[in-house]
Amino acid sequence: MKNYTLRALASVLLVSLLTCFGASAQTPAPAAFPNPLAGPADGPLQTPAQFLGYELGARFTPHAELLRYVAHIAAHSPDRMKLERYGSTYENRPLELVYIASAANLTRLDDIRRDNLRLAGLETGAVKGATPAVVWLSYNVHGNEAVSSEAVMQVLYDLANPANTTVQSYLQNLVVIVDPCVNPDGRDRYAQWYNRVANRQTNASPLSWEHREPWPGGRYNHYYFDLNRDWAWQTQQESRQRIAVYNQWLPQVHADFHEMGPNNPYYFSPAAKPFHADLTAWQRQFQDIIGDYNRRVFDKNNWLYFTRETYDLFAPFYGDTWPSFNGAIGVTYEQGGGGVAGIAYAKTDGDTLTLSQRIEHHHATSLATLQAAAERHQDLTREFRKFYDDARTKPKGEYKSYVLAGSSDPGQVRALTQYLDRQQISYGFATKRSRQAGYSYATGQTETVQIEPQDVVISMYQPKSTLVKVLFEPQAQLEDSLTYDLTAWSLPYAFGLNGYALKNQLSVNSVASGQLSVVSPSGKNNLTTNNQQLTTNNAPYAYLARWNNLQDVRFLSRLLQQGVKLRVAEEPFETEGQKYGRGTLIIARTGNERLGARFDQLVRAQADSAGVLVQAVQSGLSTSGGDLGSRSVRPLATPNVAVLAGPGVDATAFGEVWHFFEQQVGYPVTVLGTDYFSGVPLSKFDVLILPDGRYDDIMTERTLAAVKTWVRGGGRLIALEGASRFLAGQKDLLLKAKPSDSTAASKKAPYAALRRYADAERDGINGRVQGSVFRVQLDNTHPLAFGYGNTYFALLREAPNYTFLPEGGWNVGVLKKNSYASGFAGRKTRTGLTDSFVLGTQDLGRGQIVYLADNPLFRAFWQGGKLLFGNAVFIL
């Protein structure tokens, strides 16, 4: 055996390997990899390919690497770019913005921002100088629509490249704000999965697993919320942080970059009908103008596209509509592709769609948007100013004031005014008692309403009056019922508050943000919840907390986790001059002796933290109703809660439950996977939640039998929407679907089946509910409805076609005649919803099944339904 040195041996092995793989001395060197230790400003300005070590479109770039390139670009353009971290995601990934302007404008960036707010009447003082138009570009709000964060790297390079004189000229008239990735958690979930499973040689076949994204997909954020439907509500951390900055700028143009199914080409404005009635003529006109700029580019390159279809401008939840109601030109761009497309995808027309093509299209519309805004910047700023001038002096609509009864639910009123603060909406208090003609949200009628001092009044004579009208109007004007999403969302319904819409302007006392204080009928200030002031000569016998809203559920959650023993009143009672309703929490000293001196401080501190007022009482004796030791007062347990998640369960429905526990009430929940659920020992849990989903494959006959056995042993099963639908008609269960009347209908109208093909979509909506509000009649003596009045306004997205539960069940919430309140519901649907079950319970053995045909946690913005869910988990 020859005695090789290590170097010689390495040379022999290298030659052998090259020979085996057919390489030669002319084999090209591998692509240069980025230096991970290099600082952002090291070396010259690099193209994305030079920096990343691969061409854009060759793979999906991880978020961290995307931000490295963003930092590189900004560091090489310090006179024209400013990089700002504005927040972080739930998974602690950075959220960043890049501000781009001419060198002269970048030095006065804050002056430009303040001048822009002066145009809107939201900043005092006179405009100091020339006002460039502000354009905000948002990329990758849906994580698996990942092309946009690839395209943004080329867009930023063009904005930074001094040799690109065309793009540089745009900056003379613009301030450009770029959010390179709105949803980093979703993007990385998708990119990491795809890069892990993708074939080394790209496989365009739709059958390949790289085109079969697993549950839950990368579209959503950490809690599986759709951030593009959270602009108006800001329930998610990412939305609140982004919109706080957005409101400091209020751009004239906001462009939102998306993807749709891979067999579609490209969509840009003008948008489809319905347009919301409050979009101005100028906003509609500029939809056409910006569309023309995009059309020229697409026509020049022979790229397919469509306009005026599918994507409307109606509901205020989106990245085009919410900015529009804040004075911007809001536009959506949709590239064919999405999570299914990967690097390359074989379309049904025989062509192959590549990631490179998708990048090219989004890059083109990005630059066309900037060109349109730059060339029409004076028109944009002039019309922006007019939008806000008209809002202050000539507000739209018949109603000029919206009133919320301060005493109806002080905690919910405070939650609403905090929401208004985030929206920059001004409000005040009624100065005196008066009777006015107004529309009552509770009755759906115009009638004489009583206005009380301290009722909250939102005047339409303010800069944000267009947004006020959109959010408060009882019935949004719908020019076409074929719309993309919900058709009702009015805030008094969403927050479950008594409210009125008045045609006249009321005089009010203004209030500074965060200073709201509403007095209850008892004279107690229920919103300034400083419970440390509850001092008496003797230690209280007990503390009482009314049960009205989410804050009360949060308070209960915190006490249970601290080991505090609580009781709940099942009947109304009166003590020490105050009345308390069903659901009142009783925190007695008896049973909590082990806490000693900590007891009082703990209860008061948790009440303050949750925003709840507790009342100290000195006796267990009630002047009416049961005493605090009555049989109508029962102890509450600390439930061990589980929720089902995984394939078969709707990801967003699960996310709404998960977010409720972790972010809204702070209570531990165990997430059980559908792939192993059949082997879970359910005896370890007290409550099992089944979110909306398709349960035929999850719940085999054997698994369902095990669940029913667990319920009989004392478990509580909460079934929402699709889970209730699955349980309907199952053995031993009382929930039943209404019988179809199709046979009887066909006899009455034998030609009904003779329909025109072109009318199919429009005919179909006759049997649909498109996110409409209905008045649910409640049995509020049942624990599931504790804390409510006789009605609850539910946001229905599908018809709950169930019969009333027979004996053995409790029909807690039902629809009767004339239950419709707001939004679009087809004629057939309205008729069919009469006398329908919506929510209730069934006793089964020692346990219970809770049927919730309506989802009270939908998108976390329907505040009025959260107490129902809290009752289902903690109070039953």
Side-chain angles (χ1 to χ4, degrees):
M1 185 174 183
K2 295 182 180 179
N3 184 19
Y4 290 108
T5 65
L6 288 175
R7 178 172 295 178
L9 181 60
S11 298
V12 171
L13 288 172
L14 179 59
V15 170
S16 301
L17 288 170
L18 290 174
T19 302
C20 290
F21 288 98
S24 67
Q26 284 74 41
T27 301
F33 289 98
N35 178 4
L37 301 179
D42 289 353
L45 175 66
Q46 295 181 318
T47 66
Q50 291 169 337
F51 185 90
L52 298 170
Y54 54 86
E55 294 290 336
L56 287 180
R59 59 170 296 161
F60 288 104
T61 305
H63 180 253
E65 197 67 7
L66 164 66
L67 292 191
R68 283 190 65 239
Y69 185 65
V70 171
H72 167 80
I73 289 287
H76 280 81
S77 309
D79 61 330
R80 285 169 293 127
M81 289 190 177
K82 175 187 174 184
L83 181 61
E84 174 186 270
R85 177 169 177 171
Y86 69 88
S88 60
T89 69
Y90 285 112
E91 296 176 15
N92 207 34
R93 290 183 176 87
L95 294 168
E96 296 185 352
L97 291 173
V98 186
Y99 299 89
I100 308 107
S102 67
N105 283 336
L106 195 71
T107 60
R108 63 184 196 98
L109 195 62
D110 195 58
D111 287 340
I112 292 172
R113 180 188 68 80
R114 298 185 68 180
D115 276 349
N116 203 54
L117 293 179
R118 290 184 179 107
L119 294 178
L122 291 165
E123 178 87 11
T124 59
V127 175
K128 294 182 178 180
T131 52
V134 181
V135 178
W136 187 303
L137 305 179
S138 293
Y139 297 87
N140 221 161
V141 67
H142 291 147
N144 62 357
E145 297 174 6
V147 61
S148 61
S149 284
E150 303 294 330
V152 75
M153 289 186 275
Q154 187 63 50
V155 173
L156 287 171
Y157 176 78
D158 290 344
L159 287 165
N161 182 9
N164 192 330
T165 56
T166 299
V167 174
Q168 294 306 307
S169 69
Y170 302 158
L171 299 180
Q172 301 307 309
N173 300 319
L174 299 179
V175 169
V176 182
I177 304 173
V178 173
D179 190 331
C181 187
V182 175
N183 182 10
D185 292 350
R187 176 184 174 81
D188 265 3
R189 189 184 312 127
Y190 174 76
Q192 290 171 7
W193 165 78
Y194 186 88
N195 290 337
R196 185 173 68 249
V197 304
N199 290 303
R200 181 170 182 176
Q201 183 173 353
T202 301
N203 190 333
S205 169
L207 299 177
S208 180
W209 72 337
E210 65 201 73
H211 303 294
R212 302 298 177 104
E213 190 181 3
W215 193 95
R219 178 182 178 90
Y220 311 115
N221 77 339
H222 172 77
Y223 284 107
Y224 307 161
F225 273 68
D226 187 330
L227 295 180
N228 193 43
R229 285 154 176 80
D230 197 42
W231 279 83
W233 313 123
Q234 301 156 35
T235 68
Q236 298 303 288
Q237 177 173 302
E238 296 91 342
S239 302
R240 288 193 299 271
Q241 293 170 142
R242 180 179 70 258
I243 292 173
V245 181
Y246 187 101
N247 276 330
Q248 293 172 18
W249 279 93
L250 292 180
Q252 280 78 41
V253 176
H254 179 263
D256 203 14
F257 292 84
H258 291 264
E259 290 187 82
M260 53 187 162
N263 290 302
N264 296 295
Y266 198 98
Y267 162 83
F268 50 77
S269 59
K273 290 183 178 180
F275 281 67
H276 195 283
D278 294 321
L279 293 174
T280 67
W282 164 251
Q283 289 174 315
R284 296 173 187 237
Q285 180 185 349
F286 207 85
Q287 287 276 319
D288 294 322
I289 292 171
I290 207 166
D292 283 342
Y293 278 83
N294 288 302
R295 176 185 55 78
R296 292 171 203 161
V297 178
F298 275 64
D299 285 348
K300 179 180 178 180
N301 289 280
N302 297 311
W303 296 336
L304 291 175
Y305 60 91
F306 68 92
T307 65
R308 301 183 298 268
E309 295 179 37
T310 306
Y311 302 101
D312 60 56
L313 286 173
F314 182 66
F317 325 131
Y318 296 98
D320 51 9
T321 50
W322 186 86
S324 296
F325 300 135
N326 282 276
I329 307 299
V331 292
T332 289
Y333 293 115
E334 293 275 355
Q335 164 64 52
V340 70
I343 301 298
Y345 186 85
K347 300 194 300 177
T348 55
D349 63 5
D351 284 344
T352 297
L353 175 68
T354 68
L355 179 58
S356 297
Q357 292 169 334
R358 293 150 60 198
I359 291 171
E360 190 175 10
H361 298 162
H362 266 343
H363 172 253
T365 52
S366 297
L367 297 188
T369 301
L370 297 180
Q371 181 185 3
E375 294 180 0
R376 303 295 295 266
H377 72 282
Q378 291 179 329
D379 294 336
L380 285 167
T381 54
R382 182 189 66 248
E383 293 293 334
F384 177 80
R385 184 171 206 159
K386 183 177 185 298
F387 177 95
Y388 279 100
D389 285 345
D390 289 347
R392 290 193 304 275
T393 61
K394 296 181 292 184
K396 298 178 179 180
E398 60 177 322
Y399 299 117
K400 304 308 177 188
S401 300
Y402 294 96
V403 181
L404 300 169
S407 61
S408 59
D409 184 343
Q412 283 291 72
V413 172
R414 182 175 59 173
L416 177 56
T417 55
Q418 289 171 344
Y419 169 81
L420 297 179
D421 289 338
R422 292 197 298 272
Q423 300 279 8
Q424 295 180 321
I425 292 173
S426 300
Y427 54 89
F429 296 121
T431 57
K432 61 183 179 180
R433 177 174 293 144
S434 64
R435 293 175 66 81
Q436 306 277 342
Y439 177 89
S440 168
Y441 289 86
T443 65
Q445 302 292 326
T446 298
E447 57 194 35
T448 301
V449 299
Q450 181 82 24
I451 308 298
E452 298 287 348
Q454 298 299 307
D455 281 354
V456 180
V457 179
I458 302 96
S459 170
M460 282 290 288
Y461 292 88
Q462 61 168 299
K464 288 292 188 87
S465 70
T466 299
L467 184 62
V468 170
K469 179 179 181 294
V470 171
L471 294 176
F472 277 88
E473 61 187 343
Q475 188 75 261
Q477 184 177 339
L478 188 63
E479 64 177 335
D480 192 322
S481 52
L482 289 175
T483 185
Y484 195 59
D485 202 337
L486 309 180
T487 57
W489 51 79
S490 187
L491 292 181
Y493 294 132
F495 280 79
L497 292 169
N498 291 333
Y500 318 109
L502 309 182
K503 294 183 179 182
N504 57 299
Q505 186 177 7
L506 289 182
S507 60
V508 299
N509 291 327
S510 60
V511 58
S513 176
Q515 298 298 310
L516 180 63
S517 174
V518 177
V519 178
S520 73
S522 66
K524 299 294 182 181
N525 184 329
N526 281 345
L527 295 186
T528 307
T529 55
N530 185 357
N531 291 289
Q532 303 305 319
Q533 298 173 358
L534 294 174
T535 57
T536 60
N537 295 329
N538 301 313
Y541 178 89
Y543 294 96
L544 307 180
R546 291 178 173 86
W547 186 253
N548 294 312
N549 51 52
L550 180 67
Q551 295 95 310
D552 302 318
V553 182
R554 186 182 303 125
F555 175 54
L556 170 61
S557 162
R558 292 175 179 178
L559 289 183
L560 290 175
Q561 291 177 80
Q562 293 284 339
V564 177
K565 304 297 184 183
L566 299 97
R567 295 167 181 259
V568 62
E570 294 193 312
E571 296 294 339
F573 65 96
E574 182 175 354
T575 184
E576 298 185 3
Q578 294 201 38
K579 295 180 179 180
Y580 297 88
R582 294 182 177 90
T584 296
L585 300 179
I586 299 167
I587 311 112
R589 193 169 302 276
T590 299
N592 288 297
E593 293 87 354
R594 62 181 182 80
L595 296 173
R598 291 180 53 240
F599 173 70
D600 300 277
Q601 181 62 31
L602 190 155
V603 172
R604 295 170 182 176
Q606 293 300 333
D608 281 341
S609 177
V612 171
L613 180 72
V614 295
Q615 180 67 48
V617 294
Q618 300 302 312
S619 172
L621 181 67
S622 297
T623 52
S624 67
D627 298 329
L628 301 193
S630 166
R631 286 186 299 176
S632 64
V633 176
R634 60 176 171 84
L636 288 175
T638 304
N640 196 349
V641 182
V643 59
L644 201 56
V649 174
D650 183 277
T652 60
F654 159 69
E656 288 155 4
V657 174
W658 191 20
H659 185 266
F660 174 84
F661 282 101
E662 291 210 334
Q663 295 295 324
Q664 298 178 51
V665 299
Y667 194 83
V669 61
T670 300
V671 180
L672 304 175
T674 57
D675 56 337
Y676 63 86
F677 176 68
S678 61
V680 170
L682 293 177
S683 58
K684 294 183 177 294
F685 303 100
D686 305 299
V687 176
L688 173 63
I689 301 165
L690 305 182
D692 185 27
R694 297 180 178 274
Y695 282 83
D696 294 286
D697 294 332
I698 301 171
M699 289 282 184
T700 63
E701 185 176 344
R702 180 177 178 181
T703 304
L704 180 58
V707 170
K708 289 191 287 187
T709 298
W710 167 77
V711 173
R712 287 188 177 95
R716 186 184 310 148
L717 182 68
I718 302 175
L720 291 97
E721 294 187 295
S724 288
R725 191 163 51 247
F726 167 77
L727 295 178
Q730 298 283 357
K731 182 183 178 182
D732 302 325
L733 306 187
L734 300 180
L735 186 64
K736 308 293 182 187
K738 287 183 176 181
S740 172
D741 61 353
S742 58
T743 302
S746 65
K747 291 180 179 179
K748 292 180 180 179
Y751 300 119
L754 304 181
R755 300 178 297 139
R756 292 181 69 244
Y757 179 79
D759 297 334
E761 185 176 13
R762 192 167 300 279
D763 288 345
I765 65 176
N766 268 328
R768 282 163 48 189
V769 177
Q770 293 187 249
S772 307
V773 178
F774 282 78
R775 187 179 292 101
V776 177
Q777 301 296 320
L778 292 178
D779 172 8
N780 62 7
T781 67
H782 191 283
L784 185 57
F786 279 180
Y788 287 87
N790 295 324
T791 59
Y792 156 63
F793 287 98
L795 181 66
L796 299 184
R797 294 171 297 117
E798 59 182 42
N801 290 314
Y802 301 107
T803 60
F804 297 148
L805 299 182
E807 186 175 351
W810 296 100
N811 296 284
V812 181
V814 300
L815 296 175
K816 297 181 180 179
K817 290 182 180 179
N818 302 318
S819 60
Y820 166 80
S822 180
F824 176 82
R827 175 178 49 81
K828 293 179 181 177
T829 298
R830 289 202 204 184
T831 302
L833 284 176
T834 300
D835 296 335
S836 292
F837 169 90
V838 178
L839 55 101
T841 66
Q842 171 187 349
D843 296 329
L844 188 64
R846 293 189 292 111
Q848 283 181 310
I849 300 174
V850 182
Y851 301 110
L852 298 176
D854 161 58
N855 178 10
L857 302 181
F858 181 63
R859 293 182 186 168
F861 89 93
W862 203 254
Q863 302 293 331
K866 293 177 180 179
L867 187 66
L868 276 174
F869 192 76
N871 285 337
V873 174
F874 295 106
I875 301 297
L876 287 179

